[in-house]
Amino acid sequence: MAHPKPKSASKKPSPTLSRDQALHFYRQMLKIRLFEEQVNQLYLGAKMPGLAHLYIGQEAVAVGVCEALRRDDYITSTHRGHGHCLAKGASVDKMFAELLGKAPGYCRGKGGSMHIADQDTGNLGANAIVSGSAGIATGAAMSAKMRGSDQVAVCFFGEGALGQGLLYEVMNMASLWKLPVIYVCENNQYNEYTSCRETTAGEVAARAEAFGIHSETIDGQDVQLVYATGLKLVTWARSGEGPAFLHCNTYRFHGHHVGDIDRAYYRAKTEEEEWKSMRDPVKLFTEWLQKSEMADGRLLDQIENEIAMEIKEAVNFALNAPYPDPNEVDQHVYA
């Protein structure tokens, strides 16, 4: 897409990131966006088995939080986890291969969209069970503390996980033992097809505060705000202060999954269009880059073309990659 010149602003915004950082943030968010758009095309073209849950609209959360982490820090993810994997360092070719069930994928094609893991980048895995990875992230944090390392674990989950008891059990444990874990709630406003206003009582952050956990609620569409807050909470956990809770208000631009096309019965079209036009995290950061004079339209178009080419080559790689040998069916399992 072409990047129009932004409208003139009365006051030039003050940069909070270096130019290299800012352009890296842009690349990461755009990579997630273009990756997910291609995932949707693979589904529509009947080239991808099963369903996928697109992360489009929430890119600022994954990028902002993961940029505050080190490579050896841990994350756990969700059924809507492609963005987290890419933000933590996953390569697009292995990601596509995994989605298509191919042998070069991160889990040799056996995990698919909802079970991608990459221990080399600290990604302990996505999880199709709502709140299913909360115990894994908390366990990783306990391991880090017992080993005397200064690693931090981040647990991503949606607001639907607030209805699962496991989350409260592990937050209680993390608070008692001052474990270095950050619980990141991506509140995209809907538990599948039901508004969170109909499922979640009280204030979200207050639930963690009841366990004595430091909590913050922020705009999840502002990647700089997510990064600054995430960095503060990561520093908090890494220095031995215990767990933290980050509540990010965000929005998924597509349906619950790629097959969820007609959403009129549970959310208004006007609501979707308002978020897309006014609260798109990629668009908001693009405007900031231009107003800050860190990048012009030509550079942004160049970056987009480079990422689009990377995505295209990765898709071709995955489409042409072999499936795992049938003899592997009983490998990489516990029983």
Side-chain angles (χ1 to χ4, degrees):
M1 60 183 177
H3 294 91
K5 186 177 180 180
K7 297 179 181 178
S8 59
S10 58
K11 183 179 180 181
K12 181 179 176 181
S14 300
T16 56
L17 300 172
S18 70
R19 185 171 185 271
D20 287 346
Q21 274 185 308
L23 292 177
H24 177 67
F25 280 32
Y26 176 74
R27 284 179 180 274
Q28 290 293 83
M29 285 202 293
L30 191 59
K31 181 183 292 187
I32 295 170
R33 175 67 56 91
L34 297 184
F35 179 92
E36 294 290 64
E37 288 176 351
Q38 188 59 55
V39 169
N40 196 36
Q41 290 303 310
L42 289 170
Y43 168 77
L44 294 174
K47 295 178 180 178
M48 184 184 73
L51 297 172
H53 303 75
L54 302 180
Y55 196 70
I56 294 174
Q58 302 180 209
E59 295 91 347
V61 180
V63 173
V65 171
C66 288
E67 285 300 320
L69 297 174
R70 298 191 316 228
R71 183 181 177 87
D72 66 332
D73 288 329
Y74 302 113
I75 67 165
T76 61
S77 184
T78 70
H79 59 277
R80 197 179 308 283
H82 304 160
H84 307 139
C85 298
L86 291 168
K88 195 61 170 70
S91 62
V92 291
D93 52 357
K94 291 183 179 180
M95 287 284 290
F96 278 122
E98 187 60 38
L99 266 62
L100 298 184
K102 301 299 186 70
Y106 276 108
C107 299
R108 296 196 59 77
K110 300 175 182 179
S113 171
M114 293 185 280
H115 299 92
I116 296 175
D118 176 23
Q119 294 195 26
D120 289 340
T121 60
N123 178 3
L124 299 181
N127 201 308
I129 299 172
V130 175
S131 189
S133 68
I136 298 171
T138 307
M142 183 171 71
S143 168
K145 183 167 185 176
M146 292 178 68
R147 288 183 287 108
S149 80
D150 63 348
Q151 292 164 289
V152 170
V154 166
C155 176
F156 289 103
F157 57 92
E159 79 286 345
L162 297 169
Q164 297 293 331
L166 172 63
L167 180 62
Y168 302 106
E169 293 178 41
V170 296
M171 284 199 297
N172 180 67
M173 179 186 297
S175 183
L176 286 171
W177 296 346
K178 300 188 73 172
L179 301 181
V181 56
I182 300 166
Y183 300 100
V184 179
C185 177
E186 296 184 88
N187 187 348
N188 63 21
Q189 314 305 313
Y190 288 90
N191 303 176
E192 292 193 352
Y193 316 111
T194 306
S195 169
C196 65
R197 295 185 296 272
E198 301 176 40
T199 62
T200 309
E203 296 295 327
V204 170
R207 297 179 175 220
E209 291 168 357
F211 294 103
I213 295 176
H214 176 74
S215 305
E216 300 208 20
T217 296
I218 62 171
D219 176 9
Q221 306 304 82
D222 182 345
V223 68
Q224 295 188 80
L225 178 61
V226 177
Y227 170 68
T229 310
L231 190 60
K232 178 173 65 174
L233 298 184
V234 167
T235 301
W236 166 279
R238 203 183 301 283
S239 61
E241 296 296 330
F245 187 95
L246 180 59
H247 175 215
C248 299
N249 284 304
T250 183
Y251 196 81
R252 54 171 165 83
F253 288 1
H254 288 253
H256 172 57
H257 55 70
V258 286
D260 179 16
I261 305 299
D262 182 11
R263 298 179 289 279
Y265 70 95
Y266 73 89
R267 74 183 195 188
K269 186 69 174 177
T270 53
E271 177 187 288
E272 290 188 9
E273 293 304 320
E274 182 177 354
W275 276 88
K276 289 178 181 179
S277 62
M278 305 295 292
R279 304 297 302 141
D280 183 334
V282 177
K283 183 185 296 183
L284 290 173
F285 194 60
T286 299
E287 293 172 352
W288 181 85
L289 283 170
Q290 294 178 299
K291 290 177 181 177
S292 302
E293 299 181 3
M294 288 194 175
D296 57 19
R298 180 180 299 179
L299 176 58
L300 297 178
D301 286 338
Q302 177 186 333
I303 292 173
E304 182 173 349
N305 290 335
E306 290 172 356
I307 296 174
M309 181 57 66
E310 181 184 0
I311 296 291
K312 181 179 179 179
E313 292 174 353
V315 170
N316 289 333
F317 167 81
L319 288 172
N320 294 314
Y323 288 100
D325 191 290
N327 292 328
E328 290 188 21
V329 69
D330 60 352
Q331 295 179 18
H332 313 113
V333 294
Y334 287 108

